Amino acid sequence: DGGITQSPKYLFRKEGQNVTLSCEQNLNHDAMYWYRQDPGQGLRLIYYSQIVNDFQKGDIAEGYSVSREKKESFPLTVTSAQKNPTAFYLCASQSYNEQFFGPGTRLTVL
Amino acid sequence: GNSVTQMEGPVTLSEEAFLTINCTYTATGYPSLFWYVQYPGEGLQLLLKATKADDKGSNKGFEATYRKETTSFHLEKGSVQVSDSAVYFCALKAYTGNQFYFGTGTSLTVIP
């Protein structure tokens, strides 16, 4: 089955620690995106990548980093510089005119 | 710039009631328009889309018509079910560029 997987589904982090969220797709899409979703709010774009080895900052990139070494993979690192990282994180890949979403990772900072 | 505005929730309806969720947009050129649905604890799923003016997208009893004159893409369903309880997002993709722009979402709860 084609799709997007995100792992883990739930993640707990202590303050001051970096943590990496995984996103893998087997849809052969060039473009991939990371969004953050907070309760009662819409999706805010963190980073996106249109092609391997290239990525761009979105609206709220501060405190986050990404890499795109393979077409299938677009991991997101939440660094200790992110002041309020507790949120639901969504990864998406894009064909020409549709975005496909993974199931999300809920990150909680303890 | 590009943006989407959708009606604020939450919306609570009785089963079999008529649903309308308003969505208006601002965009340069001729965007494509989308409705996505998010069930609790899950990612977003495409519900329907329309790519040009006067197109009607439909799926699972939901419909939305791309109205260029009013820059709107309102979501409707004639008879909602408890299983339709979810958060609904209106979105646009600009004519140029790849980025999607999402509304803030509207939470719908359908009670038996």
Side-chain angles (χ1 to χ4, degrees), chain A residues 1 4 7 11-12 19 22 30 33 40 48 64-65 69 73 75 79 81 85 93 96 100 102 106:
Chain A
D1 286 339
I4 301 176
S7 61
L11 189 55
F12 298 90
V19 63
S22 168
D30 287 315
Y33 298 77
Y48 63 100
Y64 300 96
S65 66
E69 297 176 0
S73 179
T79 75
S93 70
Y96 169 67
F100 298 80
R106 186 166 300 281

Side-chain angles (χ1 to χ4, degrees), chain A residues 6-24:
Chain A
Q6 292 186 242
S7 61
K9 188 169 178 64
Y10 299 96
L11 189 55
F12 298 90
R13 184 194 101 174
K14 294 182 179 179
E15 281 193 31
Q17 288 181 337
N18 292 355
V19 63
T20 297
L21 283 60
S22 168
C23 177
E24 304 278 333

Side-chain angles (χ1 to χ4, degrees), chain B residues 43-75:
Chain B
L44 277 68
Q45 304 173 26
L46 179 67
L47 180 60
L48 53 85
K49 66 181 179 183
T51 57
K52 61 182 188 296
D54 300 324
D55 268 2
K56 177 185 283 188
S58 62
N59 186 25
K60 300 181 181 178
F62 291 89
E63 293 183 339
T65 301
Y66 187 166
R67 303 284 189 199
K68 190 172 186 301
E69 64 276 12
T70 54
T71 61
S72 65
F73 193 54
H74 305 320
L75 182 68

Side-chain angles (χ1 to χ4, degrees), chain B residues 23-59:
Chain B
C23 172
T24 57
Y25 68 89
T26 301
T28 53
Y30 303 94
S32 296
L33 301 174
F34 306 82
W35 278 100
Y36 280 83
V37 59
Q38 183 181 34
Y39 298 103
E42 298 183 7
L44 277 68
Q45 304 173 26
L46 179 67
L47 180 60
L48 53 85
K49 66 181 179 183
T51 57
K52 61 182 188 296
D54 300 324
D55 268 2
K56 177 185 283 188
S58 62
N59 186 25

